[in-house]
Amino acid sequence: MSQFPANRLTLPVQHGIDDILHKITDRLHADAWRNSDGTELPGEAHSADVAIYATYFPARGDQAHALAHPEETTRIYLMSHPVTAFASTLTIDIMDGYFAQQIAPDITCDLRRYWQVIDRTTGETITPDAWQVTSVPRTDAHDFPDDDPRSQQVTVTISDTQPTHEYTVNFLAWQLWDSTQMYNYITNGWHRDPTREKERPYDTRYPATHIHQREQLDQWLRDNPHVDVVRFTTFFYHFTLVFDETGKQRYVDWFGYTTTVSPAALEAFAAEYGYELVPEDFIDGGYYNSPFRPPRKRYRDWMEFTGRFVCDRIAELTDIVHQHGRTAMMFLGDNWIGTEPYGPNFANCGIDAVVGSVGSAATCRMISDIEHVSLTEGRFLPYFFPDVFNPDGDPVGEAWTSWRQARRAIMRHPLDRMGYGGYLDLALKTPGFVEVMEEIVTEFRAIADAGTAEDPATTGVTVAVINAWGKLRSWQTHMVAHALPYTFTDGYVGVLEALAGLPVDVRFISFDEVIESQGAVLADVDVLINVGAAGEAFSGGPAWDDPVLCELIRRFVAAGGGIVGVGEPTATTGYADRCFALCDVFGVDKERGFSLSTDRHWECVPPAATLGVDVSLLGELPDHGSMIVPVRDSVELLAVGDNRVLCASHRYGQGQAWYVHSLPYSPGRARLLLGVLHAAAGRPLGGCDLPLAADPAVDVAVYPAQQRMLVANSTDQPVTTTITGVGESLTLPAHGSRWLPYPAGK
Amino acid sequence: MSQFPANRLTLPVQHGIDDILHKITDRLHADAWRNSDGTELPGEAHSADVAIYATYFPARGDQAHALAHPEETTRIYLMSHPVTAFASTLTIDIMDGYFAQQIAPDITCDLRRYWQVIDRTTGETITPDAWQVTSVPRTDAHDFPDDDPRSQQVTVTISDTQPTHEYTVNFLAWQLWDSTQMYNYITNGWHRDPTREKERPYDTRYPATHIHQREQLDQWLRDNPHVDVVRFTTFFYHFTLVFDETGKQRYVDWFGYTTTVSPAALEAFAAEYGYELVPEDFIDGGYYNSPFRPPRKRYRDWMEFTGRFVCDRIAELTDIVHQHGRTAMMFLGDNWIGTEPYGPNFANCGIDAVVGSVGSAATCRMISDIEHVSLTEGRFLPYFFPDVFNPDGDPVGEAWTSWRQARRAIMRHPLDRMGYGGYLDLALKTPGFVEVMEEIVTEFRAIADAGTAEDPATTGVTVAVINAWGKLRSWQTHMVAHALPYTFTDGYVGVLEALAGLPVDVRFISFDEVIESQGAVLADVDVLINVGAAGEAFSGGPAWDDPVLCELIRRFVAAGGGIVGVGEPTATTGYADRCFALCDVFGVDKERGFSLSTDRHWECVPPAATLGVDVSLLGELPDHGSMIVPVRDSVELLAVGDNRVLCASHRYGQGQAWYVHSLPYSPGRARLLLGVLHAAAGRPLGGCDLPLAADPAVDVAVYPAQQRMLVANSTDQPVTTTITGVGESLTLPAHGSRWLPYPAGK
């Protein structure tokens, strides 16, 4: 792209700091400026010698359009809190627990079709004849006239209720306030700024908005000839992010499709697919089709339907951008639902570049591995917002943490560019922060240059993460809110975080792909890895009730393949005699209380030769969570805890199965995983000729054609270590790195 | 019983210590002597001024009978280790992992009917045409002629196997050695004693044994006129206890019915019940119908069938005992299977007394609460065996521990008698041990006298433990081997252990009773308590898929009843939107990964007034195990851990539900449970007028008619505390107790 020279850095800019803007741009060799949500590009931008990114919001921001077309407001499906009936009628305040500034029930739609009352005790849908909706004007302050449907207090009264049964209302609602803009508004105290509006989203599914979005973009491009890159933030449908009545987050699913619904969309779906979805298809008992739910056909149909629609509509907008000779960049977040960069439609939507927030090594790979775009860019943390840039915050520390995490991923598959976001003045005012940016961007450029010229060498082992979602959720498994930590997922996300920086080839495949290809998709896979808690989509749950899938996997291992299970792999309720469908392959199973009568033998085998890693790393495996026990005498235990197998291996035919209890990310556990993957592949790490550091805190990326390698300390402490083939030991400062010749000693 | 004056103590005696036997008997005021397995009564016994117990083994011990009727050897159902086929035929060494001295495959039975080969990968039974049994004489040392079926190396060869499928053989086997005698033989090194034999069990189901058992007993009673009490140890079928090829325990289930099988029994069953059981009905996928398994109809039929048979046969023997004017005592252990002291047939089997091993407060209540007998006796620990009575052992410490545990139970419902077992000379040689016995028995007599005269007062709250087994498993929930600790059950057994010593009325009821009585069985229950891990019989598992059960329980609570859940109560896989069937009642549910998107609020309410206990006790709740999260806004959290509700309460209609995460026994947690039970009953403990000690380490038993109360320190440390209504504080030494007037100050 002509807009981008090789300086690879995007700076957020704003009005009012013109004097130092050029200075910092020069100092950091930035080659692009961007505005952020809530900041404007300075007048300078028209003549600056950098590429200009401008944030662009197709589905919000034009308040005049929003107010003129209230019937095209973007909707969402929500469930009321369950309420127990103790008498024969029950009235439910459906907005209890929701934020009236964000949400208003859509009482104008065909309620009998688009709302649904369910007896949660029996699971039965209550006939619409047995419930009625009552609306009276709200008595609290609200933004609409009293007779506006959006200003109503809405209750649902159900007759003939069964005492002790619980009832919920699945209701279609309007989104009165864009979730991200709302978050930014509240976080930054924009209520003090009278020029700020609470931006209402509008739905491209409807005609006025559809036309307006194209016309507005065209006009905006004409009005802003200095903009080189249209940074779409993002397109049409926000991930699910719902607030409670106090304005605090109540529900967040970065993958949630709940906001893609509307009567128009549901009708189009029914016409195309030949059946009607009901509200419960979206509500899903209050789980809202979280990606942890084993996906159901009806929901997958909706995702497919929506994904096709979204990408078609994106293509219309990117066409306009290209007609104006500009570049279309997509921010991977906010209203990204339906874009699915790893889905089947992404290649056709005309997007030139993707930028995303780097919250970890895994989220970095989620950006840098995207295909069908010319360029990927990572927006590094911290975001220049007052929640971190304040006297109690540690922006310098956060910048280094973010960099250490990202660098592991970038050493495997580089981003093309990096950047920051927020208010630049906050960063400039923070002592030492510019120096940190300077160090990081310098190092980034070197790695990106090396990795753009040539893929770094791997050990030659190809690992396939296997789950219900496959490629669609590449680097996106076990995520709830973007890159935020959750106790429940800690030991599973850690596997992805480790893989993102290990010198192996990583793929993501689905159970369906294995079945549909009759196992052919496994032909170039060395090791499968199945990770997660019992019953969820990533470990598989009911998918493992399918004997065809089980047999294909068994045959893969028996023929010499490797399989690694982490957590409760292949756990399902479908078998009378086991919890792990493949307990015969792993040699271990989950104790549910049924086999306490069986005496277990917990003697461990010496792991050194097998694993090819420092055996003390086994001591880093956490000893808590479910009781996993050996169930085949042939299993070899490498580490055990309190009635809990922490690491085990099991020969199976010509192949090997390995089990690891949980793997929260740490450098040591990442190295342990590398050893396990290699052992499972039948190529013990000890025999690997790719240089590795003795200390797992140090990662090595080898660029054979360039005859050099990068060694980098992924911790915040100095490390002294040896590198395979390098005669002398090497000391790296905290988060330090060094380029060395390759082969070593050359 | 005329045989027993009120001295309440049974001593084990043996040959060769006649000189000191009378001395110790007098010193301890013992009024009964007993022999043990492997010890003989001394000649003294014929003229002693004490009651004489003699152990009696109806189903083993007569080696001549055993050898004369090998076809009547007691059998057992076993499953071979699962073996994976990697080709189209597979040969399984079915004895792999079993102990040939204990077990021999029964190859003389109708193999097509009584053996079964299963493809464990599909769950399908393989037609008998596709497998054959091969036997060749074993080459190792064995006890039988080479052509004896019991000396064979037995393999099963399966044809047309599917590669990667796993196969097992369910096989009927002979028990060549009684499990308990084997344990005692090995533990005591009896192989050095040429007079010892490895005792073979024989099956009363067969005619020669049946006749022999009666004749032998009759003759034995004639030969032993000095014996007052026939101490049956026990009757016909041993609990499941199987050893591995090294003689170590491989499988133990104190409730297991696997040894009750035989062709004769299976035929009788089929004739009576109109359907045939298959081997898998006993093997149960290798879980062998552990009591943790939600019980299936076919297995319950078998238990009922066997229980009736066993009790009928016991009645035949007790009749003979009574004809001779003696007393029939049953040891609750060893071959107790089918006796079921809490079952429907026990009242009719003519047993006068039960003696059992006291391993905890709960196992003490398991003995002392038995109805339909004139007398209960506890055999206290330690057993006088060299495994404890050696220089490295701590018999004095173990005696105090056992007493502290037992006393809590005895203060609620006394045993009539106590005793010890094993080699008396070991106890006499141990410095200080006689003094300990003297202290304990003196205290025991006082409590037993008080509790025999009058039930100690309770707080008036009736607690019903509800599970799949109900009354049948009174004080027997979550037990694997008798009173042994298991990590998995620690937090559940602790509830029973606490209840066994709390001043509340405790009952055990089953789900079926609730359903069959349409809830009437709950009429006099204040609080239900459902305890256990997801899916097992004690928490209930699939029982909660029944909407009738759920509705009856909901209505009970809604009408003002209390319910307490511990662990994963009511957890099942039967619902799309929940794990706990009654999550609406408890207000909490188990996180399976599906609702991570929902933000939880973890603020706690002040617990003091509600609970009426020292709030610091909440800090004793362990913070590990499954993630239990609040799922109804109306739930009140009292204690939380890392994404884990540890204690919560929830108003439900007129009643209250309480949740506790796990409750390993400690005095503090027992007190906490008392507070929770009272709160759930709607009668906060603060308003209770029964005296309690401020320190939960001290238990109080009040005998109103006797106008006195006992306070007892259940710990091994001195305690200073106040007692409700007692003006001054009180100091009790380690495991000390004191009688006080009641009402206090009187």
Side-chain angles (χ1 to χ4, degrees):
Chain A
M1 291 192 343
S2 60
Q3 288 91 337
F4 301 107
N7 292 338
R8 300 186 184 279
L9 176 65
T10 305
L11 278 184
V13 297
Q14 68 197 85
H15 269 303
I17 55 167
D18 298 6
D19 49 341
I20 55 172
L21 191 52
H22 283 288
K23 215 154 89 181
I24 187 70
T25 299
D26 287 347
R27 174 166 174 186
L28 296 177
H29 305 290
D31 57 357
W33 287 352
R34 58 166 290 217
N35 66 341
S36 304
D37 186 15
T39 63
E40 296 296 322
L41 287 167
E44 293 289 304
H46 292 268
S47 57
D49 190 22
V50 293
I52 300 297
Y53 295 16
T55 52
Y56 190 88
F57 301 92
R60 65 164 162 114
D62 187 338
Q63 209 71 341
H65 175 76
L67 294 173
H69 299 279
E71 73 290 354
E72 298 196 355
T73 300
T74 309
R75 289 176 179 80
I76 186 170
Y77 254 129
L78 293 172
M79 183 182 86
S80 70
H81 278 308
V83 180
T84 302
F86 289 108
S88 61
T89 65
L90 178 69
T91 297
I92 297 179
D93 175 1
I94 63 172
M95 280 291 287
D96 180 28
Y98 289 109
F99 192 34
Q101 293 192 45
Q102 183 191 18
I103 300 291
D106 176 2
I107 54 175
T108 67
C109 69
D110 177 352
L111 299 177
R112 297 171 67 97
R113 179 163 174 193
Y114 296 116
W115 287 31
Q116 189 177 20
V117 175
I118 292 183
D119 177 340
R120 291 288 168 192
T121 305
T122 63
E124 284 160 16
T125 297
I126 303 298
T127 169
D129 297 333
W131 50 270
Q132 61 177 32
V133 175
T134 306
S135 60
V136 296
R138 279 171 35 212
T139 53
D140 59 333
H142 52 262
D143 298 337
F144 302 96
D146 271 3
D147 60 350
D148 189 292
R150 291 165 294 182
S151 68
Q152 305 300 304
Q153 166 94 7
V154 178
T155 56
V156 172
T157 300
I158 311 162
S159 53
D160 295 324
T161 47
Q162 301 295 311
T164 76
H165 287 216
E166 235 181 1
Y167 297 83
T168 61
V169 180
N170 295 340
F171 62 102
L172 201 57
W174 286 302
Q175 295 188 76
L176 302 179
W177 196 356
D178 176 85
S179 310
T180 289
Q181 203 255 349
M182 176 175 166
Y183 172 83
N184 292 342
Y185 187 105
I186 293 171
T187 303
N188 292 294
W190 288 346
H191 63 279
R192 293 185 296 265
D193 176 352
T195 70
R196 299 283 184 183
E197 285 177 314
K198 298 175 179 175
E199 296 184 6
R200 302 184 187 285
Y202 25 87
D203 188 351
T204 191
R205 182 65 78 169
Y206 285 86
T209 298
H210 182 205
I211 293 165
H212 176 73
Q213 280 170 335
R214 288 178 297 179
E215 290 178 350
Q216 187 192 36
L217 175 61
D218 186 71
Q219 188 58 50
W220 183 85
L221 288 163
R222 290 178 206 283
D223 294 345
N224 291 277
H226 61 288
V227 170
D228 302 295
V229 179
V230 184
R231 188 184 187 277
F232 288 102
T233 314
T234 308
F235 291 100
F236 312 116
Y237 302 112
H238 203 285
F239 62 85
T240 309
L241 179 56
V242 180
F243 296 81
D244 71 12
E245 66 272 52
T246 67
K248 281 194 292 197
Q249 184 176 289
R250 170 170 169 170
Y251 187 93
V252 58
D253 173 10
W254 203 66
F255 305 94
Y257 274 62
T258 55
T259 68
T260 59
V261 291
S262 62
L266 289 162
E267 277 165 33
F269 178 90
E272 184 175 336
Y273 283 75
Y275 72 92
E276 278 188 15
L277 294 173
V278 296
E280 185 62 9
D281 288 320
F282 298 92
I283 299 299
D284 181 28
Y287 298 134
Y288 296 99
N289 300 296
S290 150
F292 290 80
R293 296 281 280 172
R296 295 166 302 162
K297 172 82 169 57
R298 295 164 72 95
Y299 181 63
R300 297 204 76 148
D301 283 352
W302 179 260
M303 288 176 72
E304 177 193 86
F305 166 79
T306 303
R308 220 175 327 107
F309 172 78
V310 164
C311 286
D312 286 351
R313 287 286 161 96
I314 293 173
E316 293 182 8
L317 299 186
T318 56
D319 275 354
I320 296 169
V321 172
H322 295 153
Q323 282 160 19
H324 285 270
R326 321 290 174 84
T327 294
M329 177 179 261
M330 164 179 150
F331 174 65
L332 183 59
D334 294 14
N335 299 46
W336 77 291
I337 295 302
T339 65
E340 297 295 0
Y342 293 94
N345 306 300
F346 190 72
N348 307 318
C349 66
I351 287 171
D352 302 300
V354 172
V355 57
S357 173
V358 176
S360 60
T363 49
C364 188
R365 285 293 290 271
M366 177 173 75
I367 305 163
S368 68
D369 279 19
I370 291 173
E371 295 172 340
H372 312 298
V373 291
S374 308
L375 182 148
T376 59
E377 176 170 323
R379 193 202 67 206
F380 279 51
L381 294 175
Y383 203 79
F384 304 163
F385 260 8
D387 54 351
V388 173
F389 286 82
N390 64 56
D392 297 327
D394 179 22
V396 167
E398 288 196 24
W400 278 123
T401 300
S402 175
W403 173 239
R404 283 197 307 270
Q405 291 171 340
R407 187 177 57 193
R408 290 185 58 248
I410 293 168
M411 284 167 70
R412 305 272 74 94
H413 193 163
L415 298 162
D416 297 298
R417 300 180 53 79
M418 63 173 289
Y420 289 97
Y423 297 113
L424 184 60
D425 63 339
L426 289 175
L428 299 179
K429 282 189 297 198
T430 300
F433 197 81
V434 171
E435 289 72 14
V436 171
M437 286 198 289
E438 194 166 22
E439 266 195 76
I440 288 173
V441 70
T442 302
E443 195 174 350
F444 171 79
R445 285 183 184 114
I447 306 173
D449 286 349
T452 303
E454 168 190 18
D455 285 338
T458 69
T459 65
V461 167
T462 298
V463 179
V465 179
I466 185 166
N467 58 42
W469 294 108
K471 186 175 180 183
L472 187 75
R473 291 280 164 264
S474 294
W475 302 108
Q476 298 167 15
T477 75
H478 295 97
M479 212 196 308
V480 183
H482 185 278
L484 290 188
Y486 289 78
T487 304
F488 189 91
T489 60
D490 196 33
Y492 313 136
V493 167
V495 172
L496 271 282
E497 190 64 8
L499 285 174
L502 289 178
V504 293
D505 295 302
V506 180
R507 297 170 45 193
F508 292 81
I509 62 171
S510 69
F511 304 129
D512 288 347
E513 275 179 277
V514 173
I515 295 165
E516 283 158 18
S517 72
Q518 304 242 23
V521 71
L522 304 176
D524 57 354
V525 170
D526 297 304
V527 186
L528 287 170
I529 182 163
N530 181 247
V531 182
E536 41 90 334
F538 301 111
S539 70
W544 295 107
D545 297 345
D546 181 351
V548 174
L549 173 66
C550 292
E551 183 131 349
L552 288 166
I553 302 300
R554 285 191 178 100
R555 285 176 184 266
F556 166 76
V557 184
I563 187 167
V564 175
V566 179
E568 299 172 334
T570 78
T572 170
T573 56
Y575 297 90
D577 66 346
R578 62 192 62 194
C579 177
F580 293 0
L582 299 187
C583 70
D584 52 324
V585 178
F586 289 114
V588 301
D589 201 355
K590 178 178 178 175
E591 176 60 78
R592 294 168 294 171
F594 301 156
S595 69
L596 295 169
S597 286
T598 300
D599 288 85
R600 308 293 179 189
H601 299 294
W602 297 97
E603 297 78 24
C604 285
V605 299
T610 323
L611 269 173
V613 303
D614 179 353
V615 298
S616 71
L617 296 178
L618 288 165
E620 290 192 27
L621 294 174
D623 181 17
H624 54 69
S626 50
M627 281 175 61
I628 305 298
V629 297
V631 293
R632 295 294 179 268
D633 283 351
S634 41
V635 72
E636 298 199 325
L637 308 182
L638 284 89
V640 300
D642 176 19
N643 287 281
R644 198 172 281 120
V645 174
L646 302 181
C647 184
S649 72
H650 192 222
R651 280 186 188 283
Y652 186 84
Q654 303 300 309
Q656 280 209 34
W658 280 70
Y659 174 78
V660 178
H661 193 279
S662 83
L663 207 101
Y665 173 75
S666 73
R669 289 188 285 262
R671 176 63 60 88
L672 183 60
L673 180 63
L674 184 64
V676 166
L677 293 168
H678 268 258
R683 301 188 223 164
L685 194 57
C688 171
D689 56 9
L690 194 72
L692 290 173
D695 189 319
V698 173
D699 292 300
V700 181
V702 174
Y703 302 88
Q706 298 166 54
Q707 299 190 328
R708 57 180 185 152
M709 58 185 175
L710 178 67
V711 295
N713 174 2
S714 66
T715 71
D716 60 358
Q717 300 294 322
V719 176
T720 299
T721 185
T722 57
I723 312 286
T724 320
V726 178
E728 289 149 30
S729 71
L730 188 78
T731 297
L732 293 170
H735 48 77
S737 68
R738 192 184 305 172
W739 289 93
L740 298 175
Y742 175 83
K746 187 170 172 298
Chain B
M1 288 189 354
S2 61
Q3 290 91 337
F4 301 108
N7 291 336
R8 301 187 183 279
L9 176 64
T10 305
L11 279 184
V13 297
Q14 68 196 87
H15 270 303
I17 54 165
D18 299 5
D19 49 339
I20 54 169
L21 191 51
H22 283 288
K23 216 157 87 183
I24 187 70
T25 299
D26 288 346
R27 174 167 173 185
L28 296 176
H29 305 290
D31 58 359
W33 288 353
R34 60 165 290 215
N35 68 339
S36 304
D37 186 16
T39 64
E40 296 296 321
L41 287 167
E44 291 291 303
H46 291 269
S47 57
D49 190 23
V50 294
I52 300 297
Y53 296 15
T55 52
Y56 190 88
F57 301 92
R60 65 163 163 114
D62 187 337
Q63 208 71 342
H65 175 76
L67 295 173
H69 299 280
E71 74 288 355
E72 297 197 354
T73 300
T74 309
R75 290 175 178 80
I76 186 170
Y77 255 129
L78 293 171
M79 183 182 88
S80 70
H81 278 308
V83 181
T84 301
F86 290 108
S88 60
T89 65
L90 178 69
T91 296
I92 296 179
D93 175 1
I94 62 171
M95 280 291 288
D96 181 27
Y98 291 109
F99 192 35
Q101 293 192 46
Q102 183 191 18
I103 300 292
D106 176 3
I107 53 176
T108 67
C109 68
D110 178 354
L111 299 176
R112 297 171 69 95
R113 178 162 173 193
Y114 297 116
W115 287 31
Q116 189 177 19
V117 175
I118 292 183
D119 177 339
R120 291 288 169 192
T121 304
T122 63
E124 285 161 16
T125 296
I126 303 298
T127 169
D129 297 333
W131 51 269
Q132 61 178 31
V133 175
T134 307
S135 60
V136 295
R138 279 171 34 214
T139 53
D140 59 335
H142 53 262
D143 299 336
F144 302 96
D146 271 3
D147 60 351
D148 189 293
R150 291 164 295 182
S151 68
Q152 306 300 303
Q153 166 93 7
V154 178
T155 55
V156 172
T157 300
I158 311 162
S159 54
D160 295 324
T161 48
Q162 301 295 311
T164 76
H165 288 215
E166 233 182 0
Y167 297 84
T168 60
V169 180
N170 295 341
F171 63 103
L172 201 56
W174 286 302
Q175 294 188 75
L176 302 179
W177 196 356
D178 176 86
S179 310
T180 290
Q181 204 256 348
M182 176 176 166
Y183 173 82
N184 292 341
Y185 187 105
I186 293 171
T187 303
N188 292 292
W190 289 345
H191 63 280
R192 292 185 297 265
D193 177 353
T195 71
R196 299 282 183 185
E197 285 177 313
K198 297 175 178 174
E199 295 184 6
R200 301 185 188 286
Y202 25 88
D203 188 349
T204 191
R205 182 65 78 168
Y206 285 87
T209 298
H210 182 205
I211 293 166
H212 177 74
Q213 280 170 335
R214 287 177 298 175
E215 291 177 349
Q216 188 192 34
L217 176 61
D218 186 71
Q219 188 59 50
W220 184 86
L221 288 163
R222 289 177 207 282
D223 294 344
N224 292 277
H226 62 289
V227 170
D228 302 297
V229 179
V230 184
R231 187 183 186 279
F232 288 101
T233 313
T234 309
F235 291 101
F236 311 115
Y237 300 112
H238 202 286
F239 63 85
T240 310
L241 179 57
V242 180
F243 296 81
D244 71 12
E245 67 272 50
T246 68
K248 281 194 293 197
Q249 183 176 290
R250 170 171 169 171
Y251 187 93
V252 59
D253 174 9
W254 203 65
F255 305 94
Y257 273 63
T258 55
T259 68
T260 60
V261 291
S262 63
L266 289 162
E267 279 166 30
F269 178 90
E272 185 176 334
Y273 283 76
Y275 72 92
E276 278 188 15
L277 293 173
V278 297
E280 185 62 9
D281 288 320
F282 298 92
I283 299 301
D284 181 27
Y287 298 134
Y288 297 100
N289 300 296
S290 151
F292 290 81
R293 295 283 280 173
R296 295 166 302 162
K297 172 81 169 57
R298 294 163 74 95
Y299 181 63
R300 298 204 75 150
D301 282 352
W302 179 260
M303 288 177 72
E304 177 193 86
F305 166 79
T306 302
R308 222 175 326 109
F309 172 78
V310 164
C311 286
D312 286 349
R313 287 286 160 96
I314 293 173
E316 294 181 8
L317 299 186
T318 55
D319 275 353
I320 296 170
V321 171
H322 293 153
Q323 284 159 17
H324 286 269
R326 319 291 175 83
T327 295
M329 177 179 259
M330 163 179 151
F331 175 64
L332 183 60
D334 294 13
N335 299 47
W336 77 291
I337 295 301
T339 65
E340 298 295 1
Y342 293 94
N345 306 300
F346 191 71
N348 307 318
C349 67
I351 287 170
D352 303 300
V354 172
V355 58
S357 173
V358 175
S360 60
T363 50
C364 188
R365 286 293 291 272
M366 177 172 76
I367 305 163
S368 67
D369 280 18
I370 291 174
E371 296 172 340
H372 312 300
V373 290
S374 306
L375 183 146
T376 59
E377 177 170 323
R379 194 200 66 206
F380 279 49
L381 295 174
Y383 203 79
F384 304 164
F385 259 7
D387 53 351
V388 173
F389 286 81
N390 65 56
D392 297 327
D394 179 20
V396 167
E398 288 197 23
W400 278 123
T401 300
S402 175
W403 172 240
R404 282 197 307 270
Q405 292 170 339
R407 188 176 55 194
R408 289 184 59 248
I410 293 168
M411 285 167 70
R412 305 272 74 92
H413 193 163
L415 299 162
D416 297 297
R417 301 180 53 79
M418 64 173 289
Y420 289 97
Y423 298 113
L424 184 62
D425 64 339
L426 289 174
L428 300 179
K429 283 189 296 198
T430 300
F433 198 80
V434 171
E435 288 73 14
V436 171
M437 286 199 287
E438 195 167 21
E439 266 194 77
I440 289 173
V441 70
T442 304
E443 195 175 350
F444 172 78
R445 285 183 185 114
I447 306 174
D449 287 347
T452 303
E454 169 190 17
D455 285 338
T458 70
T459 64
V461 167
T462 298
V463 178
V465 179
I466 185 166
N467 59 42
W469 295 108
K471 187 175 180 183
L472 188 75
R473 291 280 165 264
S474 294
W475 302 109
Q476 298 168 14
T477 74
H478 295 97
M479 213 195 309
V480 183
H482 184 279
L484 290 188
Y486 289 77
T487 303
F488 188 90
T489 61
D490 196 34
Y492 312 136
V493 166
V495 172
L496 272 282
E497 190 64 8
L499 285 175
L502 289 179
V504 294
D505 295 302
V506 180
R507 296 171 45 192
F508 293 82
I509 62 172
S510 69
F511 304 129
D512 288 347
E513 276 178 277
V514 173
I515 295 165
E516 284 157 18
S517 73
Q518 303 240 24
V521 72
L522 303 177
D524 57 354
V525 170
D526 297 305
V527 186
L528 287 169
I529 181 164
N530 182 247
V531 181
E536 42 91 334
F538 301 111
S539 69
W544 295 107
D545 296 346
D546 180 352
V548 174
L549 174 65
C550 292
E551 182 132 348
L552 288 167
I553 302 299
R554 285 191 178 100
R555 285 177 184 263
F556 166 76
V557 183
I563 187 166
V564 175
V566 179
E568 299 172 333
T570 79
T572 172
T573 55
Y575 297 90
D577 66 348
R578 61 191 62 195
C579 177
F580 293 179
L582 298 188
C583 70
D584 52 324
V585 178
F586 289 114
V588 302
D589 201 355
K590 179 176 177 174
E591 176 59 78
R592 294 168 294 171
F594 300 157
S595 69
L596 294 170
S597 287
T598 299
D599 288 86
R600 307 295 178 186
H601 299 294
W602 296 98
E603 297 78 24
C604 286
V605 298
T610 323
L611 270 174
V613 303
D614 178 354
V615 300
S616 72
L617 296 177
L618 289 165
E620 290 192 27
L621 294 174
D623 181 18
H624 54 69
S626 50
M627 281 175 62
I628 305 298
V629 297
V631 293
R632 295 294 179 269
D633 284 350
S634 40
V635 72
E636 297 199 326
L637 307 182
L638 284 90
V640 301
D642 177 18
N643 287 281
R644 198 172 281 121
V645 174
L646 301 181
C647 184
S649 72
H650 191 223
R651 281 185 188 282
Y652 185 82
Q654 302 300 308
Q656 280 209 33
W658 279 71
Y659 174 78
V660 178
H661 194 279
S662 82
L663 206 101
Y665 173 74
S666 74
R669 288 189 285 262
R671 176 64 59 87
L672 183 60
L673 180 62
L674 184 65
V676 166
L677 292 169
H678 269 258
R683 301 187 225 165
L685 195 57
C688 171
D689 55 10
L690 194 72
L692 290 172
D695 191 317
V698 174
D699 291 300
V700 181
V702 173
Y703 302 87
Q706 298 166 55
Q707 298 190 327
R708 58 181 184 153
M709 59 185 175
L710 178 68
V711 295
N713 175 2
S714 67
T715 71
D716 60 358
Q717 300 295 321
V719 176
T720 299
T721 186
T722 56
I723 312 287
T724 321
V726 178
E728 289 150 30
S729 71
L730 188 79
T731 297
L732 293 170
H735 48 77
S737 67
R738 192 184 307 173
W739 289 91
L740 298 175
Y742 174 83
K746 187 171 171 299

